[in-house]
Amino acid sequence: MKRSFVIAIVIFVMSPFAVGQATPTTAGKQPVLQTLPERLGYSPDAKLLIVHADDLGMAHSVNAASIKAFETGLVSSGSIMVPCPWLPEIAAYARKFPEADLGLHLTLTSEWNLFRWGPVLSKDRVPSLLTRDGYLQPTETEAASRADAREAEAEIRAQIERAKALGIQPTHLDSHMGTLYQNEALFRVFLRVSRENKLPLRISKDWLGRAPFISSNLTPDDIVIDRILEIGPSVRPESWAAFYTEAIKSIGPGVTEVIVHLAYDDEEMRAATLDHPDWGASWRQRDFDFFTSAAFRRLLQENNIKLITWRELGRLMKKL
Amino acid sequence: MKRSFVIAIVIFVMSPFAVGQATPTTAGKQPVLQTLPERLGYSPDAKLLIVHADDLGMAHSVNAASIKAFETGLVSSGSIMVPCPWLPEIAAYARKFPEADLGLHLTLTSEWNLFRWGPVLSKDRVPSLLTRDGYLQPTETEAASRADAREAEAEIRAQIERAKALGIQPTHLDSHMGTLYQNEALFRVFLRVSRENKLPLRISKDWLGRAPFISSNLTPDDIVIDRILEIGPSVRPESWAAFYTEAIKSIGPGVTEVIVHLAYDDEEMRAATLDHPDWGASWRQRDFDFFTSAAFRRLLQENNIKLITWRELGRLMKKL
């Protein structure tokens, strides 16, 4: 997820919603209010954190940094962009480490200037998703306003199929640059595909108020985590570690996801993100540096925060 | 061009064919035998060389090294792979430097393991060009044996159109991994597209004997250069400079093309070419080091070799 969509959620906000969630039970019984940690087998006040790397498959630099971060044990999850050229590299990793918590970062945009990709489906079948030059749209706004929802649905289903054909067993779904949260038609597609595949999608209680269609389309069976934390362009590079440190110290009980963008500040990444310092190469290097640091490991320990994965959340859907 | 196709032409062979070529003249007159240098306005015994970088657009590392090499003035030409993800980067260069001698490296293969690309055309329209996972075929042999020639023709025409839409004015055509020389049906497609676009294609006298259909389909109007020089896997890394030095010293009169593969031996390129040292990252770095060296510049001077471009050759076609 990137850019304007995210700016609105940059500031870490404690959820204004009750942390209790209706848990479906057998028919006829009243739902029992249980917190998400309880449903996962933890104490109700457990502080559970998913550290999630977005954009896998986009570039070699992203894959290499994310894999390195997984190896530290400090980044617990990630999601893959199926239309991107480096998909085969991360698919090879997924086949080698089937226990890795890898979801799909469903992709309807191709946002960089010098480095671009098209859809998984045949271009003739998804004309509304494409620019004149045959690539996916550059922004989430253009993608959402122009997309025929049926074409978007066909494309994201094709992305899931392609991932599975390459041996990826996705544990969750999210939406690159938040395109699938931009309007109700796309969000309904996203929910339908999530439910049919019994794969949780990225949604948190602090997002419920963003648009009326978000909460109105959710049911108690959908997994809604407690909060999402993400840094934004308003944080100066020298304040990176301080921002994350404060945010992590403030994490309350429940399930929190921190969305990070990992890559190395190398030639490939600098060229890929040219003229776009936000979510650019040095931004991603800073994320990598913080989330693989001994300081971050200590923060987790000192604040009694336990890392979890989307796979655990997905099991709740599979039980339904 | 790469791999097995090329191995057969690795050894630099003085052309067994006469250097004279029939030049078309006005109707009714006998063609006048004139050497290619003469037709280009040079003395008949001029030693003219195109130093040609293949695979532009494939990766950032390839683009960056090739552009750097163009800036030295020692690499005079290059060709672009339109289906690859870094096409927009080299297209931006082409728009900024319209005098650059850039052709199209028509691409029907996607040969690396961890980094792949599909066709420019809608996948539904070119099923014979694709593997089951929707990428172009991995080898020139598979690509040529499975390709429906009409689909191949549609795809290479689409590659030319896409390049022009991005502001590239190609000066010549060649074929990635030599796929379009693998059988007569594909070679005829290649020739037809070359002639209609009045863009010379890569063909040399030392290639004429390789398959009967090559010379039988050429006419006196087609541009045939005198020889092509390319290094191959049998040359050890420590002998790289010696191989090229000897080959360049041996260049005779006429038009010679030396095909090089430029990139940096960096993380991106090492990952892209993983498990394939032939035409791999360090191979390409060695090519870059030699062809941007003061030693190469001296060799050209000492041997009275003049660098030319495909644009000059293309003008001969446009006069017809």
Side-chain angles (χ1 to χ4, degrees):
Chain A
M1 203 173 310
K2 270 214 302 302
R3 293 183 174 165
S4 56
F5 173 72
V6 153
I7 292 169
I9 55 153
V10 155
I11 304 308
F12 180 71
V13 182
M14 288 301 291
S15 166
F17 294 79
V19 292
Q21 184 163 4
T23 305
T25 56
T26 50
K29 286 191 189 166
Q30 284 295 310
V32 179
L33 272 178
Q34 226 187 355
T35 65
L36 204 45
E38 285 176 291
R39 294 176 64 196
L40 293 168
Y42 298 95
S43 71
D45 61 348
K47 296 192 280 186
L48 306 177
L49 179 65
I50 301 169
V51 182
H52 190 279
D54 280 17
D55 297 357
L56 309 188
M58 174 204 160
H60 170 67
S61 183
V62 170
N63 287 346
S66 301
I67 290 170
K68 185 85 176 165
F70 294 153
E71 288 170 356
T72 65
L74 290 169
V75 173
S76 59
S77 187
S79 59
I80 298 171
M81 298 174 73
V82 177
C84 291
W86 287 91
L87 169 69
E89 183 178 54
I90 197 70
Y93 175 80
R95 290 192 300 271
K96 193 168 176 187
F97 298 100
E99 70 282 11
D101 193 58
L102 296 170
L104 301 183
H105 200 51
L106 299 169
T107 301
L108 298 178
T109 48
S110 169
E111 71 273 31
W112 309 106
N113 293 324
L114 301 182
F115 170 65
R116 302 196 64 189
W117 48 82
V120 163
L121 275 182
S122 195
K123 291 172 191 169
D124 285 348
R125 293 183 56 193
V126 289
S128 72
L129 306 185
L130 307 181
T131 56
R132 276 182 55 193
D133 50 12
Y135 298 119
L136 292 169
Q137 298 286 349
T139 68
E140 70 279 27
T141 316
E142 286 158 299
S145 64
R146 294 176 188 175
D148 176 311
R150 288 161 302 186
E151 293 178 14
E153 179 163 356
E155 174 62 21
I156 69 176
R157 288 184 186 277
Q159 292 181 10
I160 296 170
E161 266 179 53
R162 164 73 61 87
K164 289 183 174 172
L166 288 178
I168 299 164
Q169 296 300 331
T171 60
H172 62 288
L173 300 176
D174 50 46
S175 170
H176 183 54
M177 298 170 73
T179 305
L180 295 169
Y181 304 90
Q182 296 289 314
N183 64 46
E184 182 161 20
L186 291 176
F187 188 61
R188 288 171 66 98
V189 161
F190 193 17
L191 274 174
R192 183 159 58 239
V193 170
S194 153
R195 291 167 184 163
E196 280 182 27
N197 285 277
K198 291 201 178 290
L199 293 174
L201 57 71
R202 173 181 286 164
I203 190 82
S204 76
K205 289 179 182 162
D206 35 307
W207 289 11
L208 294 180
R210 191 188 295 158
F213 64 78
I214 292 190
S215 46
S216 67
N217 279 286
L218 291 172
T219 72
D221 288 350
D222 296 309
I223 306 290
V224 179
I225 66 170
D226 293 286
R227 64 194 74 80
I228 288 175
L229 165 60
E230 188 168 26
I231 207 163
S234 63
V235 179
R236 287 169 308 172
E238 60 273 25
S239 305
W240 222 252
F243 172 89
Y244 280 130
T245 301
E246 284 314 301
I248 288 158
K249 283 183 182 171
S250 311
I251 285 177
V255 174
T256 303
E257 180 176 50
V258 55
I259 300 173
V260 302
H261 296 83
L262 307 181
Y264 297 122
D265 185 10
D266 60 12
E267 283 299 319
E268 178 196 16
M269 210 60 205
R270 282 195 285 270
T273 62
L274 191 75
D275 297 334
H276 201 289
D278 295 348
W279 292 271
S282 62
W283 173 302
R284 291 171 192 243
Q285 178 77 53
R286 289 194 298 275
D287 268 7
F288 176 84
D289 291 345
F290 183 82
F291 285 96
T292 59
S293 69
F296 174 55
R297 193 184 298 275
R298 265 199 313 277
L299 263 180
L300 294 178
Q301 289 162 351
E302 289 167 3
N303 292 278
N304 200 24
I305 293 169
K306 181 175 164 48
L307 292 189
I308 63 163
T309 61
W310 277 102
R311 179 176 277 114
E312 295 175 58
L313 289 164
R315 286 197 194 110
L316 302 180
M317 282 182 88
K318 293 188 175 64
K319 282 182 194 163
L320 297 179
Chain B
M1 205 172 310
K2 268 213 304 300
R3 293 183 174 167
S4 57
F5 174 72
V6 152
I7 293 168
I9 55 154
V10 156
I11 306 307
F12 180 70
V13 184
M14 289 301 292
S15 166
F17 295 78
V19 292
Q21 185 165 2
T23 305
T25 55
T26 51
K29 285 189 189 169
Q30 283 295 311
V32 179
L33 271 179
Q34 227 187 353
T35 64
L36 204 43
E38 284 176 292
R39 293 175 64 198
L40 293 168
Y42 298 96
S43 71
D45 60 349
K47 297 193 281 185
L48 306 176
L49 179 65
I50 300 169
V51 182
H52 190 280
D54 279 18
D55 297 355
L56 309 187
M58 173 205 160
H60 170 66
S61 182
V62 170
N63 286 347
S66 301
I67 289 170
K68 185 85 176 167
F70 293 153
E71 288 171 355
T72 66
L74 290 169
V75 173
S76 59
S77 186
S79 59
I80 298 170
M81 298 174 72
V82 177
C84 291
W86 287 91
L87 169 69
E89 183 178 54
I90 198 70
Y93 176 81
R95 290 192 299 273
K96 192 168 176 188
F97 298 101
E99 70 282 11
D101 194 57
L102 295 170
L104 301 183
H105 201 50
L106 299 169
T107 300
L108 298 178
T109 48
S110 169
E111 71 273 31
W112 309 106
N113 293 324
L114 302 183
F115 170 65
R116 301 195 65 190
W117 48 81
V120 164
L121 273 183
S122 194
K123 291 172 190 169
D124 285 347
R125 293 183 57 191
V126 289
S128 72
L129 306 185
L130 306 182
T131 57
R132 275 183 55 192
D133 50 12
Y135 298 119
L136 292 168
Q137 298 286 347
T139 68
E140 70 278 27
T141 316
E142 286 158 297
S145 65
R146 293 175 188 178
D148 176 312
R150 286 161 303 186
E151 292 178 12
E153 179 163 354
E155 173 63 19
I156 68 175
R157 288 184 186 275
Q159 292 182 10
I160 296 170
E161 265 179 55
R162 163 75 60 89
K164 288 183 176 175
L166 288 178
I168 298 165
Q169 295 300 329
T171 60
H172 62 288
L173 300 176
D174 50 46
S175 170
H176 183 54
M177 298 170 72
T179 305
L180 295 168
Y181 305 89
Q182 297 288 315
N183 63 45
E184 183 161 20
L186 290 176
F187 187 62
R188 288 169 66 98
V189 161
F190 193 18
L191 274 174
R192 183 160 56 241
V193 170
S194 151
R195 290 166 183 161
E196 279 182 25
N197 286 277
K198 291 198 177 294
L199 293 174
L201 57 71
R202 175 182 283 165
I203 190 80
S204 76
K205 289 178 181 164
D206 34 308
W207 289 11
L208 295 180
R210 190 188 296 160
F213 64 77
I214 292 189
S215 45
S216 68
N217 279 286
L218 291 172
T219 71
D221 287 349
D222 296 308
I223 306 289
V224 179
I225 67 170
D226 293 286
R227 64 194 74 80
I228 286 174
L229 165 62
E230 189 168 25
I231 208 163
S234 63
V235 179
R236 288 170 306 175
E238 60 272 25
S239 305
W240 222 251
F243 172 90
Y244 279 131
T245 301
E246 283 314 301
I248 289 159
K249 282 183 182 171
S250 311
I251 286 176
V255 174
T256 303
E257 180 177 48
V258 55
I259 300 173
V260 302
H261 296 84
L262 308 181
Y264 297 122
D265 185 10
D266 60 13
E267 284 300 318
E268 177 196 16
M269 211 60 205
R270 281 195 286 269
T273 62
L274 192 75
D275 296 333
H276 202 289
D278 295 348
W279 291 271
S282 61
W283 173 303
R284 291 171 193 244
Q285 178 77 54
R286 290 195 296 277
D287 267 9
F288 176 84
D289 291 345
F290 183 83
F291 285 97
T292 58
S293 70
F296 173 56
R297 193 184 297 275
R298 266 197 314 276
L299 262 179
L300 294 178
Q301 289 162 350
E302 288 166 3
N303 292 278
N304 202 23
I305 294 169
K306 181 177 165 44
L307 293 189
I308 64 162
T309 62
W310 277 102
R311 179 176 277 114
E312 295 175 58
L313 290 163
R315 285 195 195 111
L316 302 180
M317 281 180 92
K318 291 187 176 65
K319 282 182 192 162
L320 297 178

